Amino acid sequence: MKTSKKKVIKESLLIGVLFLLAILCVIPIFKSLNFGLDLQGGFEVLYEVESIDGGKVTKDMVTNTYKTLAKRIDEFGVMEPVITVEGDNKIRVQLAGVTDASKARENISKVANLTFRDVDDNILMTSDVLRAGKAKVSTDQYGKPAVALSIADNEAFYRATKKVSTMSDESKRMIVIWLDFENGVDSYASESASCGNLKSSRCLSAAGVQQAFSSDVIIQGNFSQTEAEELVKLINSGSLPTKLNEISSKTVAASFGAGSLEKTVVAGIVGVSVIMLFMVLIYRVAGVIASVALMIYTFVTFAVFWIVGGTLTLPGIAALVIGIGMAVDASVISFARIKDELYKGTKLSMACKQGNKNSFWTIFDSNVTTLIIAIILFVLGESSVKGFATMLIISILVTMGVMVFLNRYLLSKFVATKFFHERLGLLFGVKEHDIPDLHSKQKDRRIPFERGNFVKMRKWFYGVSLVFLVIGIVSLSTTGLNLGIDFKGGSSVTLNTNKKVTEQALKNDFKTLNLDAYEITFASDDTVIVSVRDTLNKQEVANVENYFGAKYEAKTDIGVVSNVVKNELIKNAILSVVIASIAIVIYISIRFTFTYALAAILALLHDVVAVVIIFSLFQIEVSSIFIAAILSIIGYSINDTIVTFDRIRENISHKKQKKLKNAEQLSEIVNMSLRETLGRSIITSITTLIPVVSLIVLGSQEIIEFNFALLFGLLVGAYSSIFIASQLWYDMNRRNIKNIHKKKWYEEEFHEQQELSVKGINA
């Protein structure tokens, strides 16, 4: 016994050290992450690349424009700028930490200006002498990389090159190529040493000219292949016939970002702490082990996010919340299956082995279905949704590595001490008096929720959902949804001020600015959100900022969405839900059967419609991140449903289970499966709701609608998983029970070998 105690102390010290290391490592890794606009302030703008002459915008034109923007932004000194090409002809620029949005907008939106100058900075030619976008990589007479220019105005090029080649001072017989030359700032005299260093200078190249040219020419130099390619892209971008049309923008004051980050961190710490306490109260020592694994999971998730160069945003933190819920669920599923084995009288070591085995594929299937949703979000989503999806993908993958394998490893170390063989209540929180004594031929004395007849009550459950649907139809047809600017187009102006303002005063202010403010919401004592029908241009944005800054000393956060963005958002929202549904049907049909998939999809449709109805009834604003919330609800709800379906399938195929002959037997199987998983569903719902509620109460108001959608979705999802999905599956199969026993192709191939009975030997 003393040896066992020593081993327990040793293992306790081990997980204690792991817990402290995880906490100590989480802090610096979190601080080193790149934070998005909503967490540190800054400027975001979405451009549509258009052709000046009205022609088709090619992929090369967009790529070269992207390169030009990247070079300009590097000059701002912005840490980790984010520039992404979206779709065929859109470029999104995010500059976290920028304080002067007007200057940033002006600098990055101007057309690239390519000029040819002499060494005294006098202009010789503009990009008009070149054929637009026709520069290319070539080789000189020695086979080294060079840049070939295609000349459009041969006469102008001849005059300029002749002027330079005939200068009396041979050292001045050079043509210097500049991108966005700025008088009074740039000069060849000061930048000759760095000319050609494309990362540190706007001086692209200085070419010696020994004679006049009237045709295409080659710029020679000591170029590497990469440098030649980069120079070609910059020259082409400077001569490119494109313009940038701003279709949406957003500015976030630094104070908004800092406040959001502080509130979210506090909410996260509180939420995770309460989860850990809850797990310890339910599962005792196993709960402590799960809490240590959860802290390690959090560290690893942040570390992977840092390694891939992700930018953490408020939606990303919300994805982490969902990830934490799924991570805890992995532990809950395993612990629930282990406790099931213990209540059958199985010895601890075998109970852990069998419980972990039984739970693995349930955890795998539930995580894969959510992973499918996350990938679809990543592919089709815009910036904030893409960041949300990135964090969710990482969370799911880390869950399988940490919360499944590491959790089981740590638990096995405690089981191996043999200290808990007679202390099962201390290890797992089981009621030891309910564990049968197999030597006395006792049977399982614990029947959870034994009075629950879920199948018999299914018509009442259907009725409740139907009544709610009718109420929703009335609400949607009368009041409709409170669509935000993401779906309506227009502008959103958030004012943060200590001055006293009234709704009427603000209406008058916006009338003064000739803007139509149709909705004014007081989010807090010092924060007001005003929705404006107009799509503000950059001058109007500056006017609004200056007006409210002067009158109320207000800091402003302005978001602008054009009809182009609105239409694409609606298209992608519908496409995301449709593709996600098809993908889930295919996966569940492969892993289970089509009736399982159909029942799951109908339950998911029930959840989505229910959340939409709730948003209509309470007139909560629907924004772009709402789509991520809906798909997250789909992912999490299917997670819960799969757990129940997996238990139904297991109970049907159990070796001791005879072939089902009638609907009554099938009904009992469904009821038994729901009773066995109900406790786990309740615990998982609570552990996932804890951080969501924490974010609603303590977190930033910037994603309050998203958090409300998650809250309602989790509640509705838990309801549908227990009371709708399995009952729908029962109704689909009760008249055709024989097909339930049909094995999948992989089950036929990998079935267990049966012992051969040979008369006189073993029979």
Side-chain angles (χ1 to χ4, degrees), residues 479-550:
T479 59
L481 287 170
N482 178 19
L483 298 175
I485 65 164
D486 296 320
F487 288 98
K488 294 172 70 173
S491 306
S492 174
V493 181
T494 302
L495 304 173
N496 187 269
T497 177
N498 294 322
K499 301 285 186 180
K500 182 69 175 177
V501 293
T502 64
E503 183 174 344
Q504 188 57 51
L506 287 173
K507 286 182 178 179
N508 294 335
D509 289 328
F510 278 92
K511 281 183 180 179
T512 302
L513 291 166
N514 294 319
L515 299 175
D516 182 8
Y518 64 89
E519 184 178 8
I520 298 175
T521 305
F522 288 83
S524 64
D525 292 338
D526 58 359
T527 304
V528 187
I529 302 172
V530 183
S531 298
V532 180
R533 296 189 195 280
D534 311 80
T535 301
L536 304 183
N537 58 38
K538 53 188 176 184
Q539 185 57 53
E540 288 171 327
V541 167
N543 291 342
V544 170
E545 290 174 343
N546 294 334
Y547 180 90
F548 288 103

Side-chain angles (χ1 to χ4, degrees), residues 12-27:
S12 299
L13 288 173
L14 171 64
I15 66 167
V17 170
L18 289 174
F19 186 75
L20 289 173
L21 284 174
I23 291 177
L24 292 174
C25 292
V26 160
I27 297 171

Side-chain angles (χ1 to χ4, degrees), residues 3-274:
T3 304
S4 296
K5 285 184 178 179
K6 286 181 180 179
K7 288 181 179 179
V8 170
I9 293 171
K10 177 185 174 183
E11 302 305 336
S12 299
L13 288 173
L14 171 64
I15 66 167
V17 170
L18 289 174
F19 186 75
L20 289 173
L21 284 174
I23 291 177
L24 292 174
C25 292
V26 160
I27 297 171
I29 201 75
F30 180 79
K31 289 182 177 178
S32 64
L33 292 174
N34 302 320
F35 294 113
L37 305 181
D38 47 9
L39 293 177
Q40 66 167 315
F43 172 65
E44 173 182 303
V45 61
L46 180 64
Y47 292 113
E48 186 174 38
V49 182
E50 296 180 345
S51 173
I52 292 176
D53 58 8
K56 182 180 179 181
V57 176
T58 65
K59 183 178 179 180
D60 286 341
M61 292 166 71
V62 174
T63 301
N64 290 329
T65 305
Y66 166 89
K67 289 287 184 181
T68 303
L69 288 175
K71 184 167 180 63
R72 288 208 186 102
I73 290 167
D74 282 341
E75 296 169 7
F76 296 165
V78 177
M79 291 294 291
E80 301 296 337
V82 179
I83 314 166
T84 52
V85 176
E86 298 184 1
D88 295 329
N89 64 335
K90 296 181 184 64
I91 299 177
R92 185 181 299 274
V93 178
Q94 294 174 308
L95 305 177
V98 166
T99 55
D100 191 342
S102 299
K103 185 177 180 181
R105 176 187 270 111
E106 180 183 349
N107 286 342
I108 64 179
S109 62
K110 65 183 179 183
V111 177
N113 181 17
L114 189 75
T115 55
F116 298 82
R117 298 173 182 268
D118 60 26
V119 294
D120 295 322
D121 303 326
N122 299 310
I123 189 165
L124 298 169
M125 299 174 283
T126 66
S127 60
D128 293 340
V129 301
L130 301 179
R131 297 186 189 277
K134 295 297 183 180
K136 61 183 180 180
V137 177
S138 183
T139 54
D140 60 18
Q141 65 266 37
Y142 305 108
K144 294 181 179 181
V147 176
L149 300 181
S150 180
I151 307 303
D153 190 337
N154 292 331
E155 186 177 342
F157 195 76
Y158 178 80
R159 287 197 304 267
T161 52
K162 183 177 181 179
K163 178 181 179 181
V164 173
S165 66
T166 56
M167 286 185 175
S168 56
D169 187 346
E170 290 188 13
S171 64
K172 292 188 176 184
R173 294 176 184 175
M174 299 179 72
I175 290 181
V176 186
I177 305 175
W178 290 89
L179 184 69
D180 297 334
F181 180 89
E182 190 173 345
N183 284 310
V185 176
D186 300 312
S187 71
Y188 182 72
S190 62
E191 296 187 46
S192 57
S194 60
C195 188
N197 186 338
L198 306 180
K199 293 183 178 180
S200 61
S201 176
R202 288 184 284 199
C203 178
L204 302 185
S205 177
V209 181
Q210 302 302 321
Q211 64 183 74
F213 294 95
S214 61
S215 60
D216 295 352
V217 295
I218 290 179
I219 303 176
Q220 302 179 51
N222 193 23
F223 299 126
S224 67
Q225 183 70 22
T226 302
E227 289 172 336
E229 290 172 354
E230 187 71 14
L231 182 55
V232 164
K233 289 175 182 176
L234 289 170
I235 290 174
N236 281 338
S237 69
S239 62
L240 210 59
T242 59
K243 61 181 178 179
L244 296 173
N245 177 31
E246 184 178 310
I247 56 177
S248 79
S249 66
K250 182 179 182 181
T251 58
V252 181
S255 59
F256 277 109
S260 296
L261 179 59
E262 183 181 342
K263 290 176 182 177
T264 305
V265 168
V266 171
I269 292 172
V270 171
V272 172
S273 300
V274 174

